[in-house]
Amino acid sequence: MDILKTILQHQIPLLSEAELSEFLSLWTIERQLKRQEYLYGHGREQMHLYFIRKGAFKIFHETDDLKELIVGFGYMHTLLLDLPSFVAGLASIYRIQALRKSELIGIHKRDFYGFMERCPPLATYWRQQMELALLNRLEREIDILMESPQKRYERVLERSPILFQEIPHKFIAAYLRMTPETLSRLKRS
């Protein structure tokens, strides 16, 4: 909980000590997942926001022919959620799978939104995070539409260099819609 507290103090400096303590007390869900274990499947509304203490995850949609379309990742000291399901209350179309042994803490959507209604600094921060998520999603769309694997690689490396430290390259290649061999070649050039 200490690292989450430190991050919140840095990211939301207007939170009072009392607000911070109350908010942290709401993070009551603890999950430990083994490598390849699913945080949850698809088809249900996802009601929790998670903070990754340790580990890494891929977020993907599985097609009818069982092909994985990777749409994002989560790694240590970041938030993890199925954004459309959490925000809009939709049944999830994604799966979130641990890429290695992982530990998370979580907060229920009801508690998160309830606290946010009473805490303007958190509401402002969340709005900013949603705006960034939208911009990142648009950037991702541009990446996928680019014809050149080189450009896709350069753009993701510029935006998220930590991916290459936290996520196995075969999953980054899938995320960039290229083969692992193409990604290896691009990294060497």
Side-chain angles (χ1 to χ4, degrees), residues 99-144:
L99 299 177
R100 59 181 170 264
K101 186 177 176 182
S102 300
E103 295 177 10
L104 307 106
I105 56 174
I107 184 171
H108 193 281
K109 176 181 178 176
R110 169 192 63 242
D111 295 332
F112 180 77
Y113 279 114
F115 185 78
M116 192 169 53
E117 287 177 18
R118 301 186 309 273
C119 183
L122 180 62
T124 298
Y125 174 75
W126 185 249
R127 188 193 80 245
Q128 291 167 344
Q129 292 306 301
M130 290 299 98
E131 290 169 355
L132 284 173
L134 176 59
L135 290 174
N136 287 336
R137 189 60 57 170
L138 292 172
E139 288 289 321
R140 167 98 172 107
E141 292 298 319
I142 291 168
D143 289 346
I144 295 303

Short mmCIF file of all heavy atoms in Angstrom, two decimals, residues 99-144:
data_model
loop_
_atom_site.label_atom_id
_atom_site.label_comp_id
_atom_site.label_asym_id
_atom_site.label_seq_id
_atom_site.Cartn_x
_atom_site.Cartn_y
_atom_site.Cartn_z
N LEU A 99 0.94 -12.40 -17.15
CA LEU A 99 2.06 -12.89 -17.95
C LEU A 99 3.14 -13.51 -17.07
O LEU A 99 4.03 -14.19 -17.57
CB LEU A 99 2.64 -11.74 -18.78
CG LEU A 99 1.67 -11.12 -19.77
CD1 LEU A 99 2.33 -9.96 -20.49
CD2 LEU A 99 1.17 -12.16 -20.76
N ARG A 100 3.07 -13.22 -15.79
CA ARG A 100 3.94 -13.84 -14.79
C ARG A 100 3.24 -13.74 -13.45
O ARG A 100 2.17 -13.13 -13.35
CB ARG A 100 5.32 -13.17 -14.76
CG ARG A 100 5.32 -11.69 -14.47
CD ARG A 100 6.77 -11.17 -14.48
NE ARG A 100 6.83 -9.73 -14.44
CZ ARG A 100 6.94 -8.93 -15.48
NH1 ARG A 100 7.02 -9.45 -16.69
NH2 ARG A 100 6.99 -7.62 -15.35
N LYS A 101 3.80 -14.35 -12.45
CA LYS A 101 3.20 -14.29 -11.12
C LYS A 101 2.95 -12.83 -10.76
O LYS A 101 3.84 -11.99 -10.90
CB LYS A 101 4.13 -14.95 -10.10
CG LYS A 101 3.55 -15.09 -8.74
CD LYS A 101 4.51 -15.82 -7.81
CE LYS A 101 3.93 -15.84 -6.41
NZ LYS A 101 4.85 -16.49 -5.47
N SER A 102 1.74 -12.54 -10.29
CA SER A 102 1.34 -11.15 -10.10
C SER A 102 0.55 -10.96 -8.81
O SER A 102 -0.12 -11.88 -8.35
CB SER A 102 0.47 -10.67 -11.27
OG SER A 102 1.18 -10.77 -12.49
N GLU A 103 0.65 -9.75 -8.27
CA GLU A 103 -0.12 -9.37 -7.09
C GLU A 103 -0.81 -8.03 -7.36
O GLU A 103 -0.19 -7.11 -7.90
CB GLU A 103 0.80 -9.20 -5.88
CG GLU A 103 1.47 -10.47 -5.43
CD GLU A 103 2.43 -10.25 -4.27
OE1 GLU A 103 2.44 -9.15 -3.68
OE2 GLU A 103 3.17 -11.20 -3.97
N LEU A 104 -2.08 -7.96 -6.98
CA LEU A 104 -2.86 -6.75 -7.19
C LEU A 104 -3.64 -6.40 -5.94
O LEU A 104 -3.95 -7.28 -5.14
CB LEU A 104 -3.88 -6.95 -8.32
CG LEU A 104 -3.41 -7.46 -9.64
CD1 LEU A 104 -3.81 -8.90 -9.82
CD2 LEU A 104 -3.99 -6.64 -10.75
N ILE A 105 -3.98 -5.14 -5.84
CA ILE A 105 -4.98 -4.72 -4.87
C ILE A 105 -6.06 -4.00 -5.67
O ILE A 105 -5.79 -3.44 -6.74
CB ILE A 105 -4.42 -3.80 -3.75
CG1 ILE A 105 -3.72 -2.58 -4.34
CG2 ILE A 105 -3.51 -4.58 -2.84
CD1 ILE A 105 -3.29 -1.58 -3.27
N GLY A 106 -7.29 -4.06 -5.17
CA GLY A 106 -8.39 -3.51 -5.94
C GLY A 106 -9.39 -2.77 -5.08
O GLY A 106 -9.44 -2.91 -3.86
N ILE A 107 -10.18 -1.99 -5.79
CA ILE A 107 -11.26 -1.23 -5.18
C ILE A 107 -12.52 -1.49 -6.00
O ILE A 107 -12.47 -1.56 -7.24
CB ILE A 107 -10.91 0.28 -5.11
CG1 ILE A 107 -12.00 1.07 -4.38
CG2 ILE A 107 -10.66 0.86 -6.49
CD1 ILE A 107 -11.62 2.54 -4.10
N HIS A 108 -13.64 -1.64 -5.33
CA HIS A 108 -14.91 -1.84 -6.02
C HIS A 108 -15.34 -0.53 -6.67
O HIS A 108 -15.13 0.55 -6.13
CB HIS A 108 -15.98 -2.33 -5.02
CG HIS A 108 -17.20 -2.85 -5.69
ND1 HIS A 108 -18.18 -2.03 -6.20
CD2 HIS A 108 -17.59 -4.13 -5.94
CE1 HIS A 108 -19.13 -2.77 -6.74
NE2 HIS A 108 -18.80 -4.05 -6.60
N LYS A 109 -15.95 -0.65 -7.82
CA LYS A 109 -16.42 0.51 -8.58
C LYS A 109 -17.32 1.41 -7.73
O LYS A 109 -17.19 2.63 -7.76
CB LYS A 109 -17.17 0.01 -9.82
CG LYS A 109 -17.81 1.07 -10.66
CD LYS A 109 -18.53 0.42 -11.84
CE LYS A 109 -19.23 1.46 -12.68
NZ LYS A 109 -19.84 0.85 -13.88
N ARG A 110 -18.21 0.81 -6.98
CA ARG A 110 -19.14 1.57 -6.12
C ARG A 110 -18.36 2.42 -5.12
O ARG A 110 -18.65 3.60 -4.93
CB ARG A 110 -20.06 0.58 -5.42
CG ARG A 110 -20.92 1.14 -4.30
CD ARG A 110 -21.56 0.02 -3.47
NE ARG A 110 -20.52 -0.78 -2.81
CZ ARG A 110 -20.31 -2.08 -3.03
NH1 ARG A 110 -21.05 -2.77 -3.86
NH2 ARG A 110 -19.33 -2.72 -2.41
N ASP A 111 -17.35 1.84 -4.49
CA ASP A 111 -16.54 2.58 -3.52
C ASP A 111 -15.71 3.68 -4.20
O ASP A 111 -15.57 4.78 -3.68
CB ASP A 111 -15.62 1.63 -2.76
CG ASP A 111 -16.38 0.64 -1.91
OD1 ASP A 111 -17.51 0.97 -1.47
OD2 ASP A 111 -15.86 -0.46 -1.68
N PHE A 112 -15.17 3.34 -5.36
CA PHE A 112 -14.35 4.31 -6.09
C PHE A 112 -15.18 5.52 -6.49
O PHE A 112 -14.81 6.67 -6.21
CB PHE A 112 -13.73 3.65 -7.32
CG PHE A 112 -12.88 4.58 -8.13
CD1 PHE A 112 -11.61 4.91 -7.71
CD2 PHE A 112 -13.36 5.13 -9.31
CE1 PHE A 112 -10.82 5.78 -8.45
CE2 PHE A 112 -12.58 6.00 -10.05
CZ PHE A 112 -11.30 6.33 -9.62
N TYR A 113 -16.32 5.28 -7.14
CA TYR A 113 -17.15 6.40 -7.59
C TYR A 113 -17.78 7.14 -6.42
O TYR A 113 -17.93 8.37 -6.46
CB TYR A 113 -18.21 5.94 -8.59
CG TYR A 113 -17.66 5.78 -9.99
CD1 TYR A 113 -17.58 4.53 -10.60
CD2 TYR A 113 -17.19 6.87 -10.70
CE1 TYR A 113 -17.07 4.39 -11.88
CE2 TYR A 113 -16.68 6.74 -11.99
CZ TYR A 113 -16.62 5.50 -12.57
OH TYR A 113 -16.10 5.36 -13.83
N GLY A 114 -18.13 6.43 -5.38
CA GLY A 114 -18.68 7.09 -4.19
C GLY A 114 -17.68 8.05 -3.57
O GLY A 114 -18.02 9.18 -3.21
N PHE A 115 -16.43 7.60 -3.45
CA PHE A 115 -15.40 8.47 -2.89
C PHE A 115 -15.11 9.63 -3.83
O PHE A 115 -14.92 10.77 -3.39
CB PHE A 115 -14.11 7.69 -2.60
CG PHE A 115 -13.07 8.52 -1.91
CD1 PHE A 115 -13.17 8.78 -0.55
CD2 PHE A 115 -12.03 9.08 -2.62
CE1 PHE A 115 -12.24 9.58 0.08
CE2 PHE A 115 -11.09 9.87 -2.00
CZ PHE A 115 -11.19 10.12 -0.64
N MET A 116 -15.09 9.36 -5.12
CA MET A 116 -14.81 10.41 -6.10
C MET A 116 -15.85 11.53 -6.03
O MET A 116 -15.52 12.70 -6.18
CB MET A 116 -14.76 9.81 -7.51
CG MET A 116 -14.19 10.76 -8.53
SD MET A 116 -13.84 9.98 -10.12
CE MET A 116 -15.37 9.19 -10.52
N GLU A 117 -17.11 11.18 -5.76
CA GLU A 117 -18.16 12.20 -5.64
C GLU A 117 -17.92 13.13 -4.45
O GLU A 117 -18.32 14.29 -4.48
CB GLU A 117 -19.52 11.53 -5.50
CG GLU A 117 -20.02 10.93 -6.80
CD GLU A 117 -21.34 10.19 -6.62
OE1 GLU A 117 -22.04 10.43 -5.60
OE2 GLU A 117 -21.68 9.39 -7.49
N ARG A 118 -17.26 12.62 -3.41
CA ARG A 118 -16.98 13.43 -2.22
C ARG A 118 -15.62 14.12 -2.26
O ARG A 118 -15.31 14.91 -1.37
CB ARG A 118 -17.01 12.54 -0.96
CG ARG A 118 -18.31 11.83 -0.72
CD ARG A 118 -18.33 11.07 0.61
NE ARG A 118 -17.21 10.19 0.86
CZ ARG A 118 -17.12 8.91 0.48
NH1 ARG A 118 -18.11 8.37 -0.22
NH2 ARG A 118 -16.08 8.17 0.80
N CYS A 119 -14.83 13.81 -3.26
CA CYS A 119 -13.44 14.28 -3.28
C CYS A 119 -13.10 14.90 -4.64
O CYS A 119 -12.66 14.20 -5.55
CB CYS A 119 -12.52 13.11 -2.97
SG CYS A 119 -10.79 13.57 -2.89
N PRO A 120 -13.29 16.22 -4.76
CA PRO A 120 -13.00 16.88 -6.04
C PRO A 120 -11.60 16.64 -6.61
O PRO A 120 -11.46 16.46 -7.83
CB PRO A 120 -13.24 18.36 -5.74
CG PRO A 120 -14.22 18.35 -4.60
CD PRO A 120 -13.85 17.15 -3.78
N PRO A 121 -10.53 16.59 -5.80
CA PRO A 121 -9.22 16.32 -6.41
C PRO A 121 -9.15 14.97 -7.11
O PRO A 121 -8.55 14.85 -8.18
CB PRO A 121 -8.24 16.38 -5.22
CG PRO A 121 -8.91 17.26 -4.22
CD PRO A 121 -10.39 16.95 -4.38
N LEU A 122 -9.79 13.95 -6.53
CA LEU A 122 -9.81 12.64 -7.18
C LEU A 122 -10.65 12.69 -8.45
O LEU A 122 -10.28 12.12 -9.47
CB LEU A 122 -10.34 11.55 -6.24
CG LEU A 122 -10.39 10.15 -6.86
CD1 LEU A 122 -8.99 9.66 -7.25
CD2 LEU A 122 -11.04 9.17 -5.90
N ALA A 123 -11.77 13.39 -8.41
CA ALA A 123 -12.62 13.51 -9.59
C ALA A 123 -11.87 14.19 -10.74
O ALA A 123 -11.95 13.75 -11.90
CB ALA A 123 -13.89 14.29 -9.26
N THR A 124 -11.12 15.23 -10.42
CA THR A 124 -10.32 15.93 -11.44
C THR A 124 -9.25 14.99 -12.01
O THR A 124 -9.06 14.91 -13.22
CB THR A 124 -9.66 17.19 -10.83
OG1 THR A 124 -10.70 18.06 -10.40
CG2 THR A 124 -8.78 17.90 -11.84
N TYR A 125 -8.57 14.30 -11.12
CA TYR A 125 -7.53 13.36 -11.55
C TYR A 125 -8.12 12.28 -12.46
O TYR A 125 -7.56 11.96 -13.50
CB TYR A 125 -6.87 12.74 -10.32
CG TYR A 125 -5.88 11.65 -10.65
CD1 TYR A 125 -4.63 11.97 -11.16
CD2 TYR A 125 -6.20 10.31 -10.45
CE1 TYR A 125 -3.71 10.96 -11.46
CE2 TYR A 125 -5.30 9.30 -10.75
CZ TYR A 125 -4.06 9.64 -11.26
OH TYR A 125 -3.16 8.65 -11.56
N TRP A 126 -9.26 11.70 -12.07
CA TRP A 126 -9.88 10.64 -12.86
C TRP A 126 -10.29 11.15 -14.23
O TRP A 126 -10.09 10.48 -15.25
CB TRP A 126 -11.07 10.05 -12.11
CG TRP A 126 -11.70 8.87 -12.79
CD1 TRP A 126 -12.92 8.82 -13.37
CD2 TRP A 126 -11.12 7.57 -12.97
NE1 TRP A 126 -13.16 7.57 -13.88
CE2 TRP A 126 -12.07 6.78 -13.65
CE3 TRP A 126 -9.91 7.00 -12.61
CZ2 TRP A 126 -11.83 5.44 -13.99
CZ3 TRP A 126 -9.68 5.66 -12.95
CH2 TRP A 126 -10.63 4.92 -13.63
N ARG A 127 -10.85 12.36 -14.29
CA ARG A 127 -11.22 12.94 -15.57
C ARG A 127 -9.98 13.08 -16.46
O ARG A 127 -10.00 12.73 -17.64
CB ARG A 127 -11.90 14.30 -15.39
CG ARG A 127 -12.47 14.82 -16.72
CD ARG A 127 -12.88 16.29 -16.67
NE ARG A 127 -11.68 17.11 -16.82
CZ ARG A 127 -11.18 17.92 -15.90
NH1 ARG A 127 -11.77 18.09 -14.75
NH2 ARG A 127 -10.08 18.60 -16.12
N GLN A 128 -8.89 13.55 -15.88
CA GLN A 128 -7.65 13.68 -16.65
C GLN A 128 -7.16 12.33 -17.14
O GLN A 128 -6.69 12.20 -18.29
CB GLN A 128 -6.57 14.36 -15.80
CG GLN A 128 -6.86 15.81 -15.50
CD GLN A 128 -5.95 16.38 -14.41
OE1 GLN A 128 -5.30 15.65 -13.66
NE2 GLN A 128 -5.90 17.70 -14.33
N GLN A 129 -7.26 11.31 -16.30
CA GLN A 129 -6.83 9.97 -16.70
C GLN A 129 -7.71 9.42 -17.82
O GLN A 129 -7.21 8.75 -18.73
CB GLN A 129 -6.84 9.02 -15.49
CG GLN A 129 -5.79 9.35 -14.45
CD GLN A 129 -4.40 9.43 -15.03
OE1 GLN A 129 -3.89 8.47 -15.61
NE2 GLN A 129 -3.76 10.58 -14.90
N MET A 130 -9.00 9.71 -17.78
CA MET A 130 -9.90 9.25 -18.84
C MET A 130 -9.57 9.97 -20.15
O MET A 130 -9.61 9.35 -21.22
CB MET A 130 -11.37 9.50 -18.47
CG MET A 130 -11.89 8.62 -17.34
SD MET A 130 -11.82 6.86 -17.73
CE MET A 130 -10.30 6.39 -16.91
N GLU A 131 -9.23 11.25 -20.07
CA GLU A 131 -8.83 11.98 -21.27
C GLU A 131 -7.55 11.41 -21.85
O GLU A 131 -7.44 11.22 -23.07
CB GLU A 131 -8.67 13.48 -20.95
CG GLU A 131 -9.98 14.17 -20.66
CD GLU A 131 -9.81 15.56 -20.08
OE1 GLU A 131 -8.67 16.00 -19.80
OE2 GLU A 131 -10.85 16.24 -19.88
N LEU A 132 -6.60 11.08 -20.99
CA LEU A 132 -5.35 10.46 -21.46
C LEU A 132 -5.62 9.09 -22.06
O LEU A 132 -5.01 8.72 -23.08
CB LEU A 132 -4.35 10.34 -20.31
CG LEU A 132 -3.65 11.62 -19.89
CD1 LEU A 132 -2.81 11.38 -18.64
CD2 LEU A 132 -2.79 12.17 -21.01
N ALA A 133 -6.51 8.32 -21.45
CA ALA A 133 -6.86 7.01 -22.00
C ALA A 133 -7.46 7.15 -23.39
O ALA A 133 -7.14 6.36 -24.30
CB ALA A 133 -7.83 6.29 -21.06
N LEU A 134 -8.30 8.14 -23.58
CA LEU A 134 -8.88 8.38 -24.90
C LEU A 134 -7.80 8.76 -25.91
O LEU A 134 -7.77 8.22 -27.03
CB LEU A 134 -9.95 9.47 -24.82
CG LEU A 134 -10.59 9.88 -26.15
CD1 LEU A 134 -11.27 8.70 -26.82
CD2 LEU A 134 -11.58 11.01 -25.92
N LEU A 135 -6.91 9.65 -25.52
CA LEU A 135 -5.82 10.03 -26.42
C LEU A 135 -4.93 8.83 -26.75
O LEU A 135 -4.53 8.66 -27.91
CB LEU A 135 -4.99 11.16 -25.80
CG LEU A 135 -5.67 12.51 -25.71
CD1 LEU A 135 -4.80 13.50 -24.93
CD2 LEU A 135 -6.01 13.05 -27.08
N ASN A 136 -4.64 8.01 -25.74
CA ASN A 136 -3.83 6.82 -25.99
C ASN A 136 -4.52 5.85 -26.93
O ASN A 136 -3.89 5.23 -27.77
CB ASN A 136 -3.48 6.12 -24.67
CG ASN A 136 -2.45 6.89 -23.88
OD1 ASN A 136 -1.67 7.67 -24.42
ND2 ASN A 136 -2.44 6.68 -22.57
N ARG A 137 -5.84 5.73 -26.78
CA ARG A 137 -6.60 4.84 -27.66
C ARG A 137 -6.54 5.36 -29.10
O ARG A 137 -6.40 4.58 -30.04
CB ARG A 137 -8.06 4.74 -27.18
CG ARG A 137 -8.89 3.71 -27.85
CD ARG A 137 -8.38 2.32 -27.73
NE ARG A 137 -8.25 1.95 -26.32
CZ ARG A 137 -8.02 0.73 -25.90
NH1 ARG A 137 -7.89 -0.25 -26.75
NH2 ARG A 137 -7.88 0.47 -24.63
N LEU A 138 -6.65 6.68 -29.27
CA LEU A 138 -6.55 7.25 -30.62
C LEU A 138 -5.15 7.04 -31.20
O LEU A 138 -5.00 6.71 -32.38
CB LEU A 138 -6.90 8.74 -30.58
CG LEU A 138 -8.36 9.06 -30.29
CD1 LEU A 138 -8.55 10.56 -30.09
CD2 LEU A 138 -9.27 8.53 -31.37
N GLU A 139 -4.13 7.21 -30.37
CA GLU A 139 -2.76 6.95 -30.81
C GLU A 139 -2.61 5.50 -31.25
O GLU A 139 -1.96 5.19 -32.23
CB GLU A 139 -1.76 7.26 -29.69
CG GLU A 139 -1.57 8.73 -29.43
CD GLU A 139 -0.82 9.44 -30.55
OE1 GLU A 139 0.15 8.86 -31.09
OE2 GLU A 139 -1.19 10.57 -30.88
N ARG A 140 -3.20 4.61 -30.49
CA ARG A 140 -3.15 3.18 -30.81
C ARG A 140 -3.81 2.91 -32.16
O ARG A 140 -3.30 2.13 -32.96
CB ARG A 140 -3.86 2.40 -29.70
CG ARG A 140 -4.15 0.98 -30.04
CD ARG A 140 -3.10 0.04 -29.46
NE ARG A 140 -3.54 -1.32 -29.66
CZ ARG A 140 -3.00 -2.13 -30.55
NH1 ARG A 140 -2.00 -1.74 -31.29
NH2 ARG A 140 -3.45 -3.36 -30.70
N GLU A 141 -4.94 3.54 -32.40
CA GLU A 141 -5.62 3.37 -33.69
C GLU A 141 -4.72 3.84 -34.83
O GLU A 141 -4.64 3.18 -35.87
CB GLU A 141 -6.95 4.14 -33.71
CG GLU A 141 -8.00 3.59 -32.78
CD GLU A 141 -8.41 2.18 -33.13
OE1 GLU A 141 -8.56 1.86 -34.33
OE2 GLU A 141 -8.58 1.38 -32.20
N ILE A 142 -4.07 4.97 -34.64
CA ILE A 142 -3.14 5.47 -35.66
C ILE A 142 -2.02 4.46 -35.87
O ILE A 142 -1.64 4.16 -37.01
CB ILE A 142 -2.59 6.86 -35.26
CG1 ILE A 142 -3.71 7.90 -35.34
CG2 ILE A 142 -1.40 7.25 -36.15
CD1 ILE A 142 -3.36 9.23 -34.70
N ASP A 143 -1.47 3.93 -34.78
CA ASP A 143 -0.40 2.94 -34.89
C ASP A 143 -0.82 1.75 -35.75
O ASP A 143 -0.07 1.29 -36.61
CB ASP A 143 0.01 2.42 -33.50
CG ASP A 143 0.75 3.45 -32.68
OD1 ASP A 143 1.17 4.48 -33.23
OD2 ASP A 143 0.88 3.21 -31.47
N ILE A 144 -2.00 1.23 -35.49
CA ILE A 144 -2.47 0.04 -36.20
C ILE A 144 -2.70 0.34 -37.68
O ILE A 144 -2.48 -0.51 -38.54
CB ILE A 144 -3.77 -0.51 -35.56
CG1 ILE A 144 -3.48 -0.99 -34.14
CG2 ILE A 144 -4.40 -1.61 -36.39
CD1 ILE A 144 -2.41 -2.05 -34.04
#
